[in-house]
Amino acid sequence: MRIFSGVVFLTWLFMALPAYSQEGSAGYNGISDKDELLIISADKGDTAEVLKLLAGGASVNATTYDGVTPLMYAAQSGNTNLVRILIKYGADVNR
C-alpha cells in the first residue's frame, strides 16, 4: 500500500508542476520569472499584479507550455477589465 501511495503522489506531483515555455526567454523552462508571474496573475484575475508586471517588462504574449496566454486566462474567467488591459498592452488576440 505504501509503494502505491508513493507512486500516486509522484504522478500527481509531476502533473501538478507548472511547465511554461516561450521562445527566447531565459528563465525556468524557457520563460522569464516576470512572464511566469504574469501568466499566474492573469489566471488568478489579479489586475493590480498584472499591471505591475506589464509595467516591469513582462511579455503580454507569454505562453504556457501548451500555448495558453494571459489573455486566454482572463477571457476564460470572464474578467473583461483584465482582457481590456491586456489588449491595451498589445496582447495578440489571434493567438
Side-chain angles (χ1 to χ4, degrees):
M1 183 62 160
R2 208 170 249 236
I3 292 173
F4 177 74
S5 297
V7 171
V8 170
F9 173 75
L10 288 175
T11 302
W12 171 83
L13 178 64
F14 286 114
M15 292 177 74
L17 288 174
Y20 300 105
S21 67
Q22 181 183 20
E23 249 181 71
S25 296
Y28 173 74
N29 259 354
I31 188 169
S32 73
D33 290 342
K34 287 180 185 178
D35 292 351
E36 184 176 1
L37 289 172
L38 177 65
I39 291 168
I40 293 167
S41 297
D43 187 25
K44 291 180 178 179
D46 188 345
T47 304
E49 185 67 15
V50 167
L51 284 168
K52 180 178 133 186
L53 290 162
L54 289 170
S59 173
V60 72
N61 291 309
T63 59
T64 63
Y65 69 96
D66 56 351
V68 180
T69 65
L71 180 61
M72 291 176 186
Y73 280 124
Q76 177 183 349
S77 67
N79 191 335
T80 56
N81 185 42
L82 187 53
V83 167
R84 287 186 187 110
I85 290 168
L86 292 167
I87 291 172
K88 179 181 174 186
Y89 274 84
D92 183 354
V93 297
N94 296 311
R95 277 189 128 169

